[in-house]
Amino acid sequence: QKEVEQNSGPLSVPEGAIASLNCTYSDRGSQSFFWYRQYSGKSPELIMFIYSNGDKEDGRFTAQLNKASQYVSLLIRDSQPSDSATYLCAVNGGAGGGNKLTFGTGTQLKVEL
Amino acid sequence: EAGVVQSPRYKIIEKKQPVAFWCNPISGHNTLYWYLQNLGQGPELLIRYENEEAVDDSQLPKDRFSAERLKGVDSTLKIQPAELGDSAVYLCASSLVAAPYNEQFFGPGTRLTVL
């Protein structure tokens, strides 16, 4: 079982729709959770982080965390073509301790006109 | 505020040759990371520094890879000799303190091609 799992996609949504990206993790001791956006040929860019159960909203983005289910998600409202990218889920803390991020393989999002 | 700086951005070498990558973290960030990213995969940690000390190098292939951060600021990652399988993007990241809630910020990466 991979430590951080994501559906590789591609996930296609029409412009203006809500995109829902999901991530599960295996280490129950994980403490914080990050979503990075990565455009093709570019480096990962931090867009959200969350460490408490529930929802955290920032503009069009909402991160949701459920530690009991070991599940974290990212919702993108009013999706735009510029949101087309790969979204990487990353998990920090846990058994390894320290500030080690474990990444999933990413979900490719395509927002279609 | 300037971001993480890396150089070179691209490097093409023949197998068995040495190669070095340089990283300058965000000013004031005492924790520095080197990651490797293969196509279609997420970044994988190679080594983490807190100031000058390498506190996690468990994933660094020490037979051919080495790294240093002599003054606790910029860092160099070296491969000698390079192998075909080393072709990947090498990412440097930094964070303010080594704690689970602190965000890591990535540099633009160095794309290495080994022929």
Side-chain angles (χ1 to χ4, degrees):
Chain A
Q1 181 186 12
K2 291 183 179 178
E3 293 183 57
V4 179
E5 294 208 44
Q6 297 180 255
N7 188 319
S8 61
L11 171 66
S12 294
V13 299
E15 184 178 6
I18 296 175
S20 178
L21 305 163
N22 304 314
C23 171
T24 58
Y25 60 96
S26 61
D27 189 339
R28 283 194 171 277
S30 299
Q31 299 180 44
S32 53
F33 309 85
F34 300 81
W35 284 100
Y36 284 83
R37 177 176 61 200
Q38 188 171 28
Y39 292 113
S40 180
K42 301 296 185 181
S43 62
E45 173 192 9
L46 180 66
I47 52 174
M48 289 284 293
F49 68 92
I50 186 169
Y51 47 83
S52 299
N53 276 328
D55 295 359
K56 179 182 179 182
E57 186 175 318
D58 184 1
R60 296 187 295 113
F61 300 96
T62 298
Q64 299 175 318
L65 175 61
N66 184 325
K67 289 187 178 180
S69 300
Q70 296 174 244
Y71 176 92
V72 59
S73 65
L74 179 70
L75 301 178
I76 306 175
R77 291 181 297 283
D78 189 22
S79 295
Q80 302 297 310
S82 59
D83 295 326
S84 297
T86 295
Y87 289 80
L88 296 163
C89 172
V91 175
N92 202 352
N99 204 10
K100 176 181 178 179
L101 282 182
T102 301
F103 285 83
T105 56
T107 298
Q108 185 183 6
L109 174 66
K110 293 184 177 180
V111 180
E112 299 169 334
L113 296 171
Chain B
E1 180 185 81
V4 177
V5 179
Q6 289 187 250
S7 68
R9 294 293 310 279
Y10 304 91
K11 189 72 175 180
I12 301 174
I13 61 172
E14 296 194 345
K15 63 181 180 182
K16 301 185 182 180
Q17 294 301 305
V19 65
F21 314 124
W22 177 81
C23 172
N24 187 265
I26 293 172
S27 178
H29 282 196
N30 67 340
T31 306
L32 182 147
Y33 316 78
W34 283 102
Y35 288 88
L36 177 154
Q37 186 174 26
N38 287 304
L39 189 64
Q41 302 295 314
E44 299 174 30
L45 181 68
L46 291 172
I47 189 169
R48 171 168 63 96
Y49 281 93
E50 292 181 17
N51 298 308
E52 302 88 357
E53 184 181 0
V55 295
D56 184 356
D57 63 356
S58 57
Q59 302 302 311
L60 188 73
K62 298 181 183 64
D63 56 336
R64 297 184 300 108
F65 287 65
S66 64
E68 61 182 14
R69 193 185 185 199
L70 294 177
K71 296 183 179 180
V73 181
D74 56 350
S75 175
T76 301
L77 177 69
K78 299 178 181 178
I79 308 175
Q80 182 171 12
E83 296 179 352
L84 294 176
D86 295 332
S87 296
V89 176
Y90 291 82
L91 294 163
C92 180
S94 70
S95 66
L96 189 56
V97 292
Y101 302 152
N102 279 276
E103 309 96 294
Q104 295 181 26
F105 298 92
F106 285 83
T110 296
R111 183 176 298 276
L112 174 66
T113 301
V114 182
L115 303 177

